[in-house]
Amino acid sequence: MKFAHTAVRAALLSTISVASIGLATTAHAQDESVEATDAVTAEEDVAFDEIIVTATRRDQAAQDVPLAVSVVAGVQLANAGIVDIRGIQQLAPSLKTTTGQSSATGAVLTIRGIGTAGDNPGFEPAVGVFIDGVFRARAGVALSELPPIDRVEVLRGPQGTLFGRNTSAGALNITTTKPKFELGGYAELSYGNLDEIEAKAGVTGPVSEQVALRLDGGYHKRDGYIKLANEDGRVNNINRWFARGQAYFESDDINFRLIADIAKTNEDCCGALNTGSGFVLPLTSTNNAIAFIGSNAIEALSANPLAGGAVGRDGIVRPFDAKGRIMATTPGRGLTEKVDEWGVSGELNWDFGGATLTSITAYRDWKAMRDQDVDFSGLDRAYRDDYRTGMKDFTQELRLQGSAFDDKVDWLVGAFYMNEKLTMTDTIRFGAQADQYTDAVINGLTRSTALPTGLQLFGTLGAGVPLFGQVALATNPTLLAAALGNPALFALFNSPLPRTPAGAGQTADKYRVDTNAIALFTHNIINISDSLSLTLGLRYNYEKKNIDTDLNSTVPACSFFQNPATLPYRQALQGAGLFGGAYLLGCNPAVNSEFNGIQSDKRSESEFTGTARIAYKVNEDVLLFGGYDRGYKSGGYNLDRAGFDSVLLGGNGAQLTDLEFGNESVDAFEVGLKTNFTREFQFNASLFYSKFKNYQSNRFLGNNFVVLNYDKLVSQGVELESIIRPHPDFVINMGYTYLDAKVTDPAAGTDNGAQASNQPKHAITGGITWTPQISDGVNGLIHADWRYNSDHYPINDPVGRPFTGNDGYGIVNLRAGVNFGDGKYSVEGYVENLFDTYYNITAFPIPEQGNSFAVYPAPPRFYGVKLGVKF
């Protein structure tokens, strides 16, 4: 596959050459408004607007903060047409966002190659998301439509002192627009291809001299871009709405902001395409054979099984058509995904004169319901039916901040508390063709010259194919003699395994995890001189998790194999080398009733994290900084019964410690430079080195996903960013990240020593925004942004790489329009993914087909028009 478009490369290279350096940047926000009376002066004295950030929980100019932070303001987000946090990666090269099995529970954010991949809610993120100071417990919880934004700060590297919990890779600090004390409002309506409709509106204004209100809301829908092969329909659509209300109180020494929001989605997500990789493997091992035969079994048993192309039973190679975006599912097995969330928060700032107290109190309630065709084919093998998960989070943060010794010391002390109640009900069940699939695989494995018909277990292939037990009796005289003298044993070997009714499997696997997290922290800036400062921070973290499980599954094949009376049958299968495959297929670990029962467990941990940074201001335009950060990410439980080990396969049965994984820690070092060489050119650079210990990774082990702690991962590289503003109406933003991120641990298998999966070594972003005045009261907008990722592999499996890897590719977005009536009215046209570039968002091995791989395809080109009005 050829993913990179030559025009994209040309655009990137030409823009880089304009800056005379091989880099490009993170977009920074620029206030484009210039009073008409000052227009001439502004053109003669071009200057960057000072961007204020709260990366240190203080209002500081971004160029004065001694750490690597990328800032994207609301106007830049609007120009780029970004509607949720996934789009921010287009403007920040060190940030990468992906969505796998689920938009709600499978979203992944990575910074500098470090993040958390996985669909399991027990696995927490490494990139923290904070919206108006409130910690969002999972990345998917923050994926609803964004309200009007003041700015987004991408904090790169561990944020273990100030920003809550689980920020070992970094944090997104999002600040939304507050209510204003002057009446105003807006309304926007967009229409695009795939019948996309987006409507947003808001109003703000005062109700008294001290109180202002704001109300925002929006609705967004779009048809899906992945077509279903076996029935009419599409997936990966959009159908969501949100509403958000705010009240703001301000007096001389107190301000208080109250926010309440609600959001809902009802979508079909997320479609995966089978690459057909299992069809072309040689039969060199049992695992390869199962993959090959399993794929052909699906081909034989289902209509339009793979839909993306493969080698059929006729031996003809049919190429995988990625851009066709056609997915096979069992008719009637949907990918419904519903999310309901609401929350309320209050932020109080009280200035006592010598110190300021900040209190942020929040409660959030989030829940999701999903259906999923988990065999990723047209075969009715297995599915999820009304899987449910939910989180209720209460957080409280207190900070007291002031200065001492004639402002030589800017001190801050604080405390953080979180109580989270996580619930999950899993419902993986077998479909109507479950036994047929197992028989087809066993049949393929047992065919030979001596036995061309092969064997079967469940009797689904007809009388012409003998049962395994019948052949075992016929070929083992000792066993036959025993069976002739034992009617029960004779019947056991001459009967098929008990059939699996459709719907057998998990009745309901219920998990509940209660988390209590407490932290005490201090963060202090010591101004040694006017140009030299030292930042020292320390945080104590304590966390306790209590888990309760109630697992209930019913599968006839599981009961059969676990019955002591069937031991001779199991022994015969073991002698034929078939027991492992038969047991894992007929009694998959995800539904294995051996693991049924009620259990409880708990774990607690404590950790010190902190920071030490030094900053030296060479002059007003140049800042040098360097520092050390200690970060931490808590351990937990992988909420998946498939993580238990079966007694029949040599394990010790279901124990919650099997699902437990430990915390990870990171020691990070960084040096950097921030400059305004001229008033028209801003340039920043940083070098980073981060060493992770006990790095958490979600791995697929053939039949299930488990969370493993790898011994070491090192992430190191270079980040460059620049803004060129030759004129108040014309801004060029560019950024470049070189990333080398590798795991060192033999237990990591194919990940050991390889670049972290799905992480390009080179990422380049850029943007050009031109807002010329066309005539009195009429202004234009021309905006283009792009991101280039070098070659990378969504999965490091050497078999899967040829089918899932991405050649270097670029994504280009355009937006152009005019506003008139002194900015009251606007008309814009937009194109996302201008060249319709295809790439694989991520990839995974298909369960029960160990060497078959599926991919989540990139969105196609979107385009449309947007109308807006302001007052």
Side-chain angles (χ1 to χ4, degrees):
M1 292 180 285
K2 195 70 175 175
F3 298 98
H5 197 290
T6 55
V8 177
R9 295 181 183 269
L12 289 166
L13 293 173
S14 63
T15 305
I16 294 169
S17 65
V18 168
S20 302
I21 51 177
L23 55 94
T25 85
T26 309
H28 281 251
Q30 304 296 323
D31 184 354
E32 300 297 337
S33 62
V34 178
E35 295 293 336
T37 57
D38 297 329
V40 175
T41 303
E43 291 181 13
E44 294 174 350
D45 189 19
V46 177
F48 288 106
D49 296 321
E50 190 171 64
I51 304 166
I52 303 301
V53 299
T54 55
T56 62
R57 295 302 195 191
R58 303 163 173 87
D59 291 339
Q60 287 183 280
Q63 288 298 93
D64 292 338
V65 177
L67 56 86
V69 53
S70 303
V71 189
V72 186
V75 65
Q76 197 73 11
L77 293 170
N79 289 341
I82 292 172
V83 297
D84 64 34
I85 62 176
R86 283 172 292 196
I88 299 171
Q89 69 174 344
Q90 191 73 1
L91 307 175
S94 290
L95 173 70
K96 197 168 190 296
T97 66
T98 60
T99 300
Q101 293 186 43
S102 163
S103 178
T105 63
V108 180
L109 306 178
T110 61
I111 293 178
R112 294 176 172 173
I114 306 301
T116 296
D119 185 37
N120 196 300
F123 195 25
E124 302 185 64
V127 176
V129 178
F130 300 80
I131 300 180
D132 293 321
V134 177
F135 175 61
R136 299 298 178 96
R138 302 293 187 277
V141 177
L143 285 185
S144 57
E145 299 282 301
L146 289 173
I149 296 294
D150 180 60
R151 67 184 178 277
V152 176
E153 302 166 24
V154 182
L155 309 180
R156 311 193 296 267
Q159 305 296 317
T161 305
L162 290 171
F163 281 87
R165 51 194 297 276
N166 293 346
T167 55
S168 56
L172 294 186
N173 186 29
I174 300 172
T175 303
T176 66
T177 304
K178 292 194 298 187
K180 296 181 179 180
F181 283 92
E182 54 272 352
L183 183 64
Y186 69 96
E188 301 171 351
L189 179 64
S190 301
Y191 182 79
N193 62 324
L194 293 180
D195 201 23
E196 181 176 26
I197 297 174
E198 183 176 15
K200 287 184 177 181
V203 63
T204 186
V207 294
S208 71
E209 291 184 355
Q210 293 182 316
V211 178
L213 302 179
R214 183 180 186 99
L215 179 64
D216 296 281
Y219 170 73
H220 192 184
K221 71 169 286 291
R222 189 199 65 221
D223 292 343
Y225 57 83
I226 297 178
K227 293 175 284 188
L228 298 179
N230 300 338
E231 57 183 322
D232 292 334
R234 291 174 175 265
V235 296
N236 285 39
N237 65 323
I238 290 177
N239 182 18
R240 55 183 61 177
W241 63 267
F242 78 92
R244 196 171 194 262
Q246 300 182 63
Y248 182 69
F249 168 83
E250 185 176 72
S251 67
D252 291 340
D253 52 5
I254 294 176
N255 65 69
F256 178 73
R257 186 181 183 189
L258 179 67
I259 304 172
D261 65 89
I262 185 171
K264 292 181 180 289
T265 71
N266 185 358
E267 300 169 351
D268 296 299
C269 190
C270 297
L273 312 182
N274 191 316
T275 63
S277 48
F279 283 80
V280 296
L281 292 171
L283 300 181
T284 56
S285 69
T286 300
N287 194 38
N288 282 349
I290 289 175
F292 183 91
I293 294 167
S295 297
N296 279 281
I298 291 175
E299 175 82 4
L301 296 174
S302 59
N304 293 324
L306 301 177
V311 178
R313 295 180 67 86
D314 55 10
I316 298 175
V317 178
R318 299 176 179 85
F320 169 52
D321 178 20
K323 293 190 70 172
R325 295 180 176 87
I326 301 174
M327 176 188 180
T329 59
T330 304
R333 302 283 187 222
L335 294 175
T336 301
E337 186 165 289
K338 298 179 181 179
V339 175
D340 294 287
E341 66 170 309
W342 65 272
V344 60
S345 66
E347 178 178 346
L348 171 70
N349 293 284
W350 192 342
D351 185 354
F352 294 102
T356 300
L357 174 68
T358 298
S359 172
I360 302 176
T361 307
Y363 178 81
R364 299 208 61 81
D365 187 312
W366 177 93
K367 54 182 176 286
M369 187 279 287
R370 293 171 48 205
D371 294 328
Q372 188 180 16
D373 192 354
V374 296
D375 55 56
F376 301 97
S377 73
L379 181 74
D380 191 14
R381 165 66 174 165
Y383 62 97
R384 266 193 170 104
D385 184 28
D386 284 357
Y387 160 99
R388 297 176 184 273
T389 186
M391 280 178 286
K392 296 180 179 180
D393 290 280
F394 171 80
T395 57
Q396 173 65 59
E397 182 166 347
L398 291 171
R399 300 194 302 269
L400 188 64
Q401 180 181 348
S403 61
F405 306 108
D406 295 326
D407 295 333
K408 293 293 185 182
V409 176
D410 183 344
W411 57 267
L412 183 153
V413 295
F416 173 81
Y417 171 73
M418 186 194 80
N419 174 261
E420 177 178 276
K421 299 185 184 303
L422 166 65
T423 58
M424 187 183 103
T425 301
D426 206 358
T427 54
I428 294 178
R429 295 168 184 165
F430 281 127
Q433 293 177 286
D435 294 340
Q436 285 181 278
Y437 176 75
T438 300
D439 272 349
V441 174
I442 296 298
N443 183 263
L445 289 171
T446 55
R447 288 184 185 182
S448 66
T449 304
L451 189 65
T453 60
L455 302 174
Q456 60 177 327
L457 298 175
F458 292 94
T460 64
L461 303 183
V465 179
L467 297 172
F468 167 81
Q470 295 171 331
V471 174
L473 285 179
T475 56
N476 188 330
T478 303
L479 180 62
L480 178 60
L484 291 174
N486 184 340
L489 186 62
F490 186 83
L492 174 67
F493 278 86
N494 279 282
S495 302
L497 266 63
R499 292 282 183 90
T500 306
Q506 296 174 354
T507 303
D509 276 8
K510 297 182 179 180
Y511 302 84
R512 179 188 175 101
V513 180
D514 290 342
T515 301
N516 283 285
I518 301 172
L520 302 174
F521 57 90
T522 181
H523 188 271
N524 310 285
I525 302 173
I526 303 169
N527 296 303
I528 300 171
S529 69
D530 290 341
S531 57
L532 183 65
S533 66
L534 177 66
T535 300
L536 297 175
L538 183 66
R539 185 183 187 99
Y540 171 74
N541 306 273
Y542 173 80
E543 184 166 305
K544 182 178 180 180
K545 281 185 169 75
N546 292 283
I547 182 173
D548 298 291
T549 63
D550 183 358
L551 310 185
N552 190 1
S553 176
T554 303
V555 179
C558 295
S559 300
F560 174 86
F561 285 122
Q562 291 155 19
N563 186 342
T566 65
L567 177 61
Y569 195 98
R570 296 201 308 268
Q571 291 173 333
L573 282 170
Q574 288 168 343
L578 292 174
F579 176 69
Y583 187 50
L584 291 173
L585 289 169
C587 182
N588 188 285
V591 296
N592 190 338
S593 56
E594 177 190 340
F595 307 142
N596 286 354
I598 297 174
Q599 295 192 63
S600 297
D601 193 32
K602 61 184 178 181
R603 71 185 314 275
S604 61
E605 58 193 62
S606 60
E607 188 82 17
F608 281 98
T609 57
T611 186
R613 289 182 167 269
I614 191 167
Y616 178 68
K617 203 147 192 180
V618 179
N619 54 47
E620 288 300 314
D621 297 322
V622 179
L623 175 71
L624 300 175
F625 66 91
Y628 163 78
D629 293 285
R630 170 80 172 176
Y632 155 78
K633 180 171 179 286
S634 59
Y637 296 92
N638 184 39
L639 308 185
D640 184 354
R641 77 157 64 204
F644 296 126
D645 44 27
S646 172
V647 171
L648 295 187
L649 295 177
N652 59 1
Q655 301 176 64
L656 287 178
T657 51
D658 294 338
L659 307 184
E660 187 177 2
F661 55 90
N663 59 55
E664 73 180 26
S665 61
V666 55
D667 294 297
F669 301 87
E670 180 180 68
V671 294
L673 167 74
K674 294 187 175 184
T675 73
N676 291 330
F677 286 128
T678 70
R679 298 175 71 87
E680 297 85 14
F681 179 61
Q682 187 179 91
F683 172 74
N684 298 338
S686 58
L687 286 79
F688 62 90
Y689 175 90
S690 302
K691 181 180 178 180
F692 287 79
K693 295 180 181 178
N694 296 319
Y695 175 72
Q696 298 171 359
S697 179
N698 201 34
R699 291 273 297 176
F700 184 74
L701 298 183
N703 286 282
N704 61 291
F705 287 90
V706 298
V707 180
L708 301 176
N709 287 98
Y710 292 152
D711 181 54
K712 183 175 73 172
L713 181 147
V714 171
S715 170
Q716 56 190 335
V718 179
E719 296 166 324
L720 306 173
E721 54 187 12
S722 175
I723 303 174
I724 304 171
R725 192 178 186 187
H727 187 276
D729 296 338
F730 190 75
V731 182
I732 302 172
N733 304 276
M734 298 188 294
Y736 167 74
T737 295
Y738 169 77
L739 173 67
D740 180 76
K742 293 184 174 67
V743 169
T744 304
D745 188 342
T750 56
D751 283 333
N752 184 31
Q755 176 80 348
S757 61
N758 221 18
Q759 299 301 319
K761 279 188 174 291
H762 305 276
I764 302 172
T765 61
I768 297 176
T769 304
W770 184 31
T771 55
Q773 182 174 353
I774 299 173
S775 63
D776 289 343
V778 180
N779 292 278
L781 167 68
I782 297 177
H783 172 85
D785 60 68
W786 57 89
R787 180 184 176 107
Y788 172 78
N789 292 320
S790 62
D791 300 356
H792 60 281
Y793 297 99
I795 192 168
N796 278 324
D797 189 303
V799 177
R801 278 189 168 201
F803 301 95
T804 63
N806 287 318
D807 294 338
Y809 65 89
I811 300 296
V812 178
N813 300 326
L814 297 179
R815 187 170 288 259
V818 296
N819 66 75
F820 48 93
D822 292 325
K824 291 180 64 175
Y825 309 101
S826 62
V827 179
E828 297 176 1
Y830 62 88
V831 181
E832 299 175 16
N833 191 4
L834 175 64
F835 299 111
D836 199 17
T837 301
Y838 179 88
Y839 59 95
N840 298 317
I841 296 175
T842 187
F844 62 96
I846 302 175
E848 298 187 332
Q849 300 176 55
N851 287 319
S852 291
F853 298 87
V855 296
Y856 293 103
R861 177 169 46 229
F862 297 134
Y863 52 87
V865 62
K866 174 183 171 183
L867 307 177
V869 60
K870 297 179 182 179
F871 64 89

